[in-house]
Amino acid sequence: MKTREFGNTDADIVLIQPVDDHDLEGIENEFAAITNKYDKQFRLIAVKIGDWNNDLSPWEAPAVFGKENFGSGASETLDKVLELCGDRSKTYYIGGYSLAGLFALWAAYQTDVFDGVAAASPSMWFPGFAEYMKKNEISADTVYLSLGDREEKVRNSIMATVGDRIREAHVLLNERGVNSILEWNEGNHFKDADLRMAKAFAWVINSRNI
């Protein structure tokens, strides 16, 4: 598993983010933006994902755009991510954008290693995930959710459900005592991903480290 790291390697706060090539193009800008919003030392580990639709999917699902189906490689990816979290004296947060945001949220249902989740424009339309959240309990006590205000205004009928699903998720998390916020960003899914991720991580770590 290839990683890129930023910040203080000895910091007590560690942010972990699965990324693709597009995310890496803006990762330095993201790190700088987090630094501007959080004035303490932290470490950001960007984890390069090889097969996005397989490695971040919690279970198999048919393609909703293009022809590539979703696999079930999230468990294996999470095992590798957890190898980066061996020092339990540190505080770990997981976050991601798009399908990586969904993976981050799902990961917090699998383990109590992560104190918070930063899910920016997560793929909440993913088949079966809303039902999964209702039937299971999340371990993280702080969750940031966001969506672009144009993301649910798409022709794809499955992806158009993302707005309703993320609203439901926010209500559900709050009902179960999770410190959660749902923020709406201007634009579609592809606008300012680096800045949206920075805002997500900054909110989570500021909420947990006041």
Side-chain angles (χ1 to χ4, degrees):
M1 176 176 287
K2 295 182 179 180
T3 62
R4 285 186 63 185
E5 299 193 22
F6 304 84
N8 186 347
T9 57
D10 295 323
D12 292 330
I13 293 174
V14 182
L15 314 179
I16 296 179
Q17 179 184 346
V19 297
D20 62 8
D21 289 330
H22 178 72
D23 296 320
L24 286 174
E25 291 175 2
I27 198 72
E28 293 185 10
N29 190 46
E30 176 188 328
F31 175 76
I34 299 172
T35 302
N36 288 334
K37 297 174 183 292
Y38 184 71
D39 59 4
K40 299 179 182 178
Q41 296 291 313
F42 67 94
R43 178 186 183 189
L44 171 62
I45 304 177
V47 180
K48 183 67 167 59
I49 300 300
D51 186 341
W52 193 257
N53 279 16
N54 178 73
D55 296 348
L56 297 176
S57 301
W59 48 78
E60 294 183 359
V64 297
F65 53 89
K67 298 180 179 180
E68 185 179 355
N69 293 334
F70 295 93
S72 57
S75 292
E76 183 176 348
T77 300
L78 180 57
D79 287 342
K80 295 177 181 178
V81 166
L82 291 175
E83 293 176 4
L84 304 172
C85 308
D87 185 350
R88 296 306 296 271
S89 68
K90 298 183 182 297
T91 302
Y92 296 95
Y93 301 95
I94 189 167
Y97 197 85
S98 192
L99 190 58
L102 184 90
F103 169 83
L105 193 56
W106 171 84
Y109 282 86
Q110 313 305 308
T111 177
D112 61 0
V113 167
F114 306 111
D115 283 14
V117 177
S121 291
S123 304
M124 298 301 297
W125 48 261
F126 192 86
F129 196 77
E131 292 76 13
Y132 178 85
M133 289 184 65
K134 294 174 184 177
K135 294 178 181 179
N136 295 276
E137 295 293 332
I138 195 169
S139 293
D141 59 15
T142 303
V143 175
Y144 175 98
L145 300 170
S146 74
L147 204 66
D149 58 13
R150 292 177 57 191
E151 292 197 54
E152 61 185 331
K153 300 174 183 178
V154 294
R155 294 181 179 179
N156 186 298
S157 60
I158 295 178
M159 298 182 73
T161 66
V162 67
D164 289 339
R165 298 294 85 78
I166 203 167
R167 292 183 187 96
E168 293 170 359
H170 180 230
V171 170
L172 177 65
L173 291 170
N174 283 335
E175 287 177 346
R176 295 187 177 179
V178 177
N179 177 26
S180 177
I181 188 174
L182 170 56
E183 287 195 335
W184 292 87
N185 296 304
E186 181 181 350
N188 62 23
H189 184 69
F190 303 99
K191 184 177 180 181
D192 299 331
D194 52 351
L195 299 180
R196 292 183 187 183
M197 270 310 309
K199 184 162 61 170
F201 270 131
W203 186 87
V204 171
I205 56 180
N206 278 313
S207 295
R208 291 275 310 174
N209 296 277
I210 298 175

